[in-house]
Amino acid sequence: MTVTAPARPSGAAVARDPLLDNAKFLAIVLVVSGHLIEDLRDVPAAHALYFFVYLFHMPLFIVVSGYLSRNFTFSPGKARKLISGLAVPYVIFEVAYSLPRLFLYGKLEISLLDPYYLTWFLMSLFLWRLSTPVWQQLRHPLVVAVGLCLLSGTSALPDELSMNRTFGLLPFYVLGLMLTPEHLDRLRVRRVRIAGGAVLAAALAAAFAVHTLVPTEWIRWRHSNHQIGVDDLTGTLIRLAMLAAGAVLVAAFLAVTPRRRTWFTGLGAATMYAYLLHGFAVKVAERFHDVLVNPLGVTVMAVLGAVLATLLCTSPVRRAFRWAVEPDVSWAFTRLRRPGKREPAAT
């Protein structure tokens, strides 16, 4: 996670941008709290908060992921990191999240091409990152990405490779690729930060006003227009509105995020731990639905989400689960094989 910085001596550590780590930590708090109250949406306030958070929390992660992928190439080091940082953890957690179904229901269903539960993000990010060199060579990459997003809504795509979300949320990844440090610097202006706070407050109020009128599936990006129950023209307009709302809220959130180092800045570098591990706590909490489905239960779960997200980003958790989230698979790689010169044909 680097930003453009003055030249530094060879071997010196590359500085991290506190803004990005702060934003990632605050976003993972929203993710974990949102998942913990997801099963409690019979409470109107929980449904409204869920709707508000889901408008932008994953778009935010995806934009930041795109921004941090701007220098991705197919060089040996980057390719190995792609495999060890996304592909291997995907397999590990795809299996891990399938085990509770085995213990509870006697079913072991594992499909590496059909992501289960939280693992869709790893699958989609893997595919987005692979496509990075393509977007960097197109003249109008964001226009193309939006076009693919809108077209994907007109077809019932299969669940394999998380295709609905991969295409639906693609514009946010490409938007991140197009951003520069100068774009982020513009968010430091005081009037922009004030406007960002006002936009978030207005969006929260709007969520409470319309959350019962908008099908939840629109904010999950999992289905086509017809599966949600609208024609393609209506669905296309709604998707455009969702893309615009997500982009505006991501900008507003980044504008109000502290740019200085804070007590949680370091934790923001470990949000993948919180993302991949918190799902087990969510599955346990679902067993207590009848007790928690009330305003007090929603409040408790939201607060617990913030605490849990914080704990899962700490050093002890990282040490305990590095084997799964950041596995060392260097043993599986060899030097890059390059085609040798062709020998002249025998006469």
Side-chain angles (χ1 to χ4, degrees):
M1 302 179 185
T2 61
V3 294
T4 301
R8 49 178 56 84
S10 177
V14 177
R16 299 180 68 94
D17 186 351
L19 170 65
L20 300 180
D21 282 339
N22 291 341
K24 287 174 60 183
F25 174 78
L26 296 175
I28 199 62
V29 168
L30 294 179
V31 169
V32 177
S33 295
H35 280 153
L36 283 172
I37 68 172
E38 180 176 5
D39 199 40
L40 309 177
R41 284 175 292 151
D42 289 339
V43 179
H47 194 282
L49 289 172
Y50 178 85
F51 183 82
F52 170 68
V53 167
Y54 267 65
L55 281 172
F56 71 93
H57 75 318
M58 288 312 296
L60 173 62
F61 269 118
I62 296 167
V63 168
V64 172
S65 296
Y67 180 82
L68 297 173
S69 300
R70 292 171 301 149
N71 295 322
F72 177 80
T73 64
F74 290 117
S75 63
K78 297 292 179 63
R80 293 178 183 184
K81 189 173 182 181
L82 183 66
I83 294 171
S84 62
L86 292 176
V88 175
Y90 170 79
V91 174
I92 292 173
F93 282 92
E94 183 72 11
V95 174
Y97 276 116
S98 298
L99 293 180
R101 287 185 290 181
L102 173 63
F103 299 141
L104 295 175
Y105 310 111
K107 295 181 179 180
L108 180 60
E109 299 176 357
I110 300 176
S111 174
L112 294 182
L113 295 181
D114 183 4
Y116 174 65
Y117 197 35
L118 302 174
T119 57
W120 71 266
F121 180 62
L122 296 181
M123 172 66 78
S124 294
L125 183 55
F126 182 88
L127 296 174
W128 290 329
R129 196 159 286 168
L130 276 179
S131 71
T132 296
V134 175
W135 302 112
Q136 291 172 331
Q137 296 181 68
L138 292 177
R139 188 178 298 276
H140 302 293
L142 192 56
V143 173
V144 175
V146 171
L148 288 174
C149 167
L150 300 180
L151 286 174
S152 70
T154 65
S155 303
L157 300 178
D159 293 331
E160 282 74 14
L161 302 181
S162 187
M163 291 186 68
N164 286 287
R165 281 168 165 156
T166 298
F167 281 108
L169 293 164
L170 173 63
F172 295 111
Y173 181 79
V174 176
L175 174 61
L177 288 176
M178 299 301 102
L179 293 178
T180 65
E182 289 71 28
H183 289 130
L184 297 182
D185 286 342
R186 294 174 187 174
L187 300 176
R188 303 179 64 176
V189 180
R190 187 170 183 271
R191 64 176 180 275
V192 175
R193 301 188 66 181
I194 293 174
V199 167
L200 290 174
L204 179 60
F208 271 85
V210 306
H211 70 95
T212 59
L213 305 177
V214 182
T216 304
E217 285 304 327
W218 285 115
I219 58 176
R220 292 180 172 178
W221 299 91
R222 298 189 306 180
H223 297 301
S224 67
N225 302 327
H226 293 288
Q227 288 173 307
I228 300 177
V230 300
D231 60 82
D232 285 333
L233 176 59
T234 302
T236 296
L237 294 176
I238 293 175
R239 280 183 170 243
L240 277 173
M242 299 299 295
L243 290 173
V248 170
L249 290 175
V250 166
F253 191 86
L254 290 174
V256 302
T257 299
R259 296 191 66 95
R260 66 185 184 283
R261 291 195 61 82
T262 67
W263 64 269
F264 55 80
T265 301
L267 301 177
T271 52
M272 189 61 79
Y273 285 82
Y275 179 79
L276 291 175
L277 295 171
H278 83 275
F280 297 104
V282 172
K283 292 299 182 183
V284 172
E286 289 175 353
R287 312 288 289 183
F288 300 94
H289 170 271
D290 293 343
V291 177
L292 296 170
V293 64
N294 54 70
L296 178 59
V298 171
T299 302
V300 170
M301 286 295 99
V303 174
L304 178 61
V307 174
L308 180 62
T310 303
L311 292 176
L312 291 178
C313 291
T314 58
S315 295
V317 173
R318 295 171 70 175
R319 287 194 296 268
F321 291 97
R322 180 169 284 116
W323 63 272
V325 181
E326 297 180 285
D328 180 5
V329 292
S330 57
W331 54 268
F333 298 105
T334 185
R335 294 181 60 184
L336 182 65
R337 301 184 182 93
R338 298 185 183 278
K341 293 182 178 180
R342 296 185 61 182
E343 296 293 333
T347 58

